[in-house]
Structures are given as C-alpha cells and as structure tokens.
Amino acid sequence: MDALTIIIMLILFIIAMIFVFSTALLTPYLGKKNLVSILLLGLIVGAVGGAFLLSPIVEDIPDFSRTIIEENIEGTDEISMGLSTNRNVTQLIENISSISGVQKVTYEGIEIRTNEPFESPAQQESFFSKIKASSSSIEDIEDQRNNSYFIKIKENGDPQQVLDGIYDVFGSVTYVHLRYTSMDANATVSANNVTKIMNAIQDSGAIIHSVSGPTEDQVNIVNKYTPNQTDIVIISAVLGVIVALAGFFIDSIFSFRKQRKKEKKESTRDQIKRKTVPKSQRTMPKTRSKTNKTPKRDSIDIFNDESFENSSKQNIGSNRNFKQLTKDDNLTNEKSSQKDEKSKKGRFSRFRSDKKQDKKEEKETQAQQRKAPKIRPRKRD
C-alpha cells in the first residue's frame, strides 16, 4: 500500500468521525432522550471504519516502518541463510556475494545425517578418515549425536569439493546410508538496503533463516507495539463513542465555562486598573446634617475609559490645557475678582470685627440728611 492510499483512508475515517460528531450536535433538535441511539451510531461507525479503513493500514505498518528505518539508519545486518546442496554450492555463494550491498559471505561447514549409527567406534573412525581424505578443504569432523555429524571446512575452502567427496565416500560404503546434507552461511549486508538484498538472496535459491542487526531490532520494536486487527476495531469503536459523547455534551461544557468566567473574581490586574483620582470631588462641609451623606469619590478607569480624555479631572496637577492669557482675559479676570470680593463681603460680613463701627457711620449719615416735618391731620368737627 502506497502513501497516497494510506492518506485517503485516514481522511475517510476522519470524515466518518466528523459525521458522528455533527449528528451528536443535533441533540437540541432531536432531544436529549436519544443519547442511546447517538452512542450506538458512534459505536457502529467507529467499528466499520476501523475494520475497513484502519485495519489495512495497520497490516502495512511493518513494511512501511521498515522502509522508513532503512532510509535513516547506518551499519550492517547479518542474514543467516540455508544453501541447497542439490546444486553447486560454490557457485551459489559466489552469486550471493555479487549482490549489491552484500559485503561478504561466510560459512563454517556442512552438516550430514545418516540413517543408522555405526556398529563400533573403530568403524566410525575409519569412516571419518575416509571423508577427510576425500577433500583437502576439510578441517575436522564433529559428532553431534543422533546420527548427525558436522564437517568443518577450512577458511576459503571449496564447499562443493567437500560435498562431492562426501558423496563418493557414502557411495563406496554400503553399511551406512546418507540421509541428507545441509549447509548454512551468513551474509553481512548494508543495513540501509537490507530488504532488497533479502529479496535478491531468495531469488538466487537460498532460504533466509533470520536477520539480526540495528534495522531488524527497530522493526521488531515497532511490531511489538503495533496492535492487531481485532484491537484496531475495538479501539476505533470506542473512539466513535467518545466522539459522540463529545458532540452530545459540547453545549453544556461551553455554557459551564461561560458561567465560570462570570463568577470568576476580579483579577489583580483589574484591581490595579481601577484607580480613584484624588480630589476629584469637593468634600462636603462638616456643618451639613447627618442625613445628607457625602458622595463617594468618582472612580474612573484611566486605562480603558475614553471619557477620561475629555474629563476635567485628568487635568489636575498638569498643564495639559494651559493657555496664555490675553487682555480680554485680564479684564474678565478683574471683573470676576471684584465680584468675588463683593460676594465675600456679603457672605462673611457678620464675622467682621468692625461691624459696630459701620453701624455708627450709618447713623451719622442718616442724622445729617434733611428730615421732612411731621404734620398731624385735623380732626373733623
């Protein structure tokens, strides 16, 4: 499966989850009593999507992960393989060594097995000596029990020559019969191209037993944590139910958050932003009655309140609206000062110390003025 197919399947699964979520959002119109049907819909859609959309992707995860790992890894891997002894073994090893990415091919020997054991140790020793004499590439013969023997080959020895000598010995000896022969080899290959090398080795006629190295270790870790098809169906079904619940309760969650925001106390930043401008309002005199309570100081938000720009309170202690006086301003100021003096005299005249002297002067001026004679009306007879 290529990357485009995987992306399309993932998009289709996401669309299926969006369908479940949007259906759950319609609960204000369908009624909250339909919760069971909505959960059942999410369960079915999730299970079907997991079986037909996610399961094929999971099956290709090992191959897909191997490709990614091989592109980003360095080093070598060891491929253990079995070689067929029915063909020329030496030629097969040379073909494997010529594959691009194969650094070297090593082998230790050939394993043989007989149908029946030897009659005596002397007979066995005689047989071993005949096999060693059949080829100069044989180093030693080891008894592995159960009628199995391992013929060790010298370094850079010809395995096919050894195999031909074994066949000749068993053909001349009639009391022991050869059951089968096998040969194993190890190939050291580049880790970043191990998949292609494995395919080429299998095409050449060898059988791959195992692969070891950094590439295979990381692939095994990925395979260990990759769920199987049954787990994928269960997980996707549960995911569909969760999406349905999220769509069902999304309105309640948002309304709860809005309510919490309203009930939340004023933060310290808001408390700092609310400042009271000093002397913004004249305090009332103490002579007033207790019933007339003094008004509280005005509180102005000096950060966000636009009305503060045009307020007279923000000019306290500043020369922001300073304006140079002219002649007209001087005249008006003199007149206003005279009016203030008169008002002060009238307002505070009862508290003046020379009040008696002013009364005497008023009496003298009245005495100097000319008085009109008083005439009594005549009585009628």
Side-chain angles (χ1 to χ4, degrees):
M1 186 182 296
D2 55 353
L4 181 61
T5 306
I6 294 174
I7 293 171
I8 291 173
M9 287 186 173
L10 289 175
I11 291 173
L12 291 176
F13 183 79
I14 293 171
I15 291 172
M17 293 296 101
I18 292 173
F19 169 74
V20 174
F21 184 79
S22 60
T23 305
L25 286 176
L26 297 175
T27 50
Y29 304 98
L30 300 176
K32 292 189 175 181
K33 296 181 180 180
N34 296 322
L35 175 61
V36 177
S37 61
I38 291 172
L39 295 179
L40 186 61
L41 177 65
L43 180 67
I44 294 172
V45 174
V48 172
F52 293 97
L53 296 176
L54 296 184
S55 293
I57 297 174
V58 174
E59 290 180 359
D60 290 342
I61 285 178
D63 296 335
F64 186 72
S65 61
R66 180 183 289 275
T67 303
I68 296 175
I69 291 170
E70 288 180 5
E71 291 178 354
N72 300 289
I73 200 169
E74 296 179 357
T76 59
D77 287 349
E78 293 289 334
I79 299 176
S80 177
M81 52 189 176
L83 306 180
S84 176
T85 56
N86 294 328
R87 54 188 302 182
N88 194 328
V89 181
T90 304
Q91 186 65 38
L92 180 59
I93 293 174
E94 291 177 357
N95 294 337
I96 294 172
S97 301
S98 63
I99 296 173
S100 177
V102 176
Q103 298 180 2
K104 64 180 180 178
V105 178
T106 59
Y107 49 87
E108 293 183 359
I110 299 173
E111 183 182 357
I112 63 175
R113 187 167 186 175
T114 60
N115 290 329
E116 60 277 338
F118 293 98
E119 294 180 356
S120 63
Q123 187 180 9
Q124 182 177 347
E125 289 294 333
S126 175
F127 182 77
F128 285 172
S129 62
K130 289 180 181 179
I131 291 178
K132 289 180 180 179
S134 64
S135 177
S136 59
S137 299
I138 298 175
E139 182 178 352
D140 193 10
I141 300 176
E142 297 177 358
D143 186 3
Q144 296 180 344
R145 295 181 181 182
N146 297 325
N147 302 329
S148 296
Y149 308 96
F150 184 76
I151 301 174
K152 192 173 181 181
I153 301 175
K154 295 179 180 179
E155 188 177 357
N156 298 325
D158 188 356
Q160 186 61 38
Q161 182 183 2
V162 174
L163 190 61
D164 292 339
I166 293 171
Y167 289 152
D168 293 337
V169 172
F170 275 97
S172 62
V173 177
T174 57
Y175 52 84
V176 177
H177 298 87
L178 181 63
R179 187 171 182 179
Y180 71 84
T181 59
S182 63
M183 181 177 181
D184 294 334
N186 295 322
T188 304
V189 301
S190 299
N192 58 359
N193 202 18
V194 65
T195 303
K196 294 181 179 179
I197 296 171
M198 289 169 63
N199 295 331
I201 290 173
Q202 290 176 349
D203 294 338
S204 64
I207 299 173
I208 296 175
H209 295 318
S210 63
V211 181
S212 61
T215 304
E216 201 65 23
D217 293 341
Q218 295 189 19
V219 171
N220 291 333
I221 292 172
V222 174
N223 295 336
K224 180 180 178 180
Y225 294 101
T226 301
N228 53 27
Q229 293 182 356
T230 305
D231 295 337
I232 286 296
V233 173
I234 295 173
I235 292 171
S236 58
V238 173
L239 181 61
V241 173
I242 293 173
V243 171
L245 287 174
F248 186 82
F249 291 106
I250 192 70
D251 294 334
S252 303
I253 293 171
F254 276 108
S255 61
F256 178 74
R257 287 188 63 187
K258 289 181 181 179
Q259 186 177 2
R260 287 292 300 273
K261 285 183 179 179
K262 290 181 181 179
E263 294 177 356
K264 189 177 180 182
K265 294 182 179 180
E266 189 178 13
S267 63
T268 55
R269 176 178 172 79
D270 296 334
Q271 293 176 0
I272 294 172
K273 287 169 64 177
R274 300 288 299 176
K275 290 186 177 180
T276 303
V277 178
K279 296 183 180 181
S280 59
Q281 186 173 355
R282 185 181 295 175
T283 56
M284 303 303 292
K286 296 182 180 179
T287 56
R288 289 198 174 188
S289 62
K290 295 181 180 180
T291 57
N292 297 330
K293 296 181 180 180
T294 58
K296 296 180 180 179
R297 294 180 177 180
D298 295 338
S299 179
I300 298 175
D301 193 346
I302 64 175
F303 292 95
N304 298 325
D305 195 355
E306 296 179 355
S307 62
F308 185 75
E309 296 293 333
N310 299 324
S311 175
S312 60
K313 297 175 184 179
Q314 58 91 17
N315 295 323
I316 296 172
S318 66
N319 59 353
R320 180 173 179 178
N321 293 335
F322 177 77
K323 182 180 177 183
Q324 189 173 2
L325 294 176
T326 59
K327 293 181 178 181
D328 297 334
D329 294 332
N330 291 332
L331 293 175
T332 54
N333 291 335
E334 289 177 359
K335 291 179 181 180
S336 61
S337 62
Q338 291 177 2
K339 290 180 181 180
D340 293 338
E341 290 178 359
K342 290 182 180 180
S343 62
K344 287 180 181 179
K345 286 181 179 180
R347 187 181 302 172
F348 302 104
S349 60
R350 58 182 176 177
F351 300 106
R352 292 175 58 183
S353 60
D354 55 348
K355 183 177 179 182
K356 295 180 180 180
Q357 185 177 357
D358 293 340
K359 287 183 178 181
K360 289 180 180 181
E361 291 178 356
E362 288 179 0
K363 288 181 180 180
E364 289 177 358
T365 53
Q366 289 177 1
Q368 291 178 0
Q369 289 179 358
R370 187 176 180 178
K371 297 181 179 179
K374 296 181 179 180
I375 300 173
R376 294 181 178 179
R378 292 180 182 184
K379 295 182 178 179
R380 293 182 180 180
D381 297 337

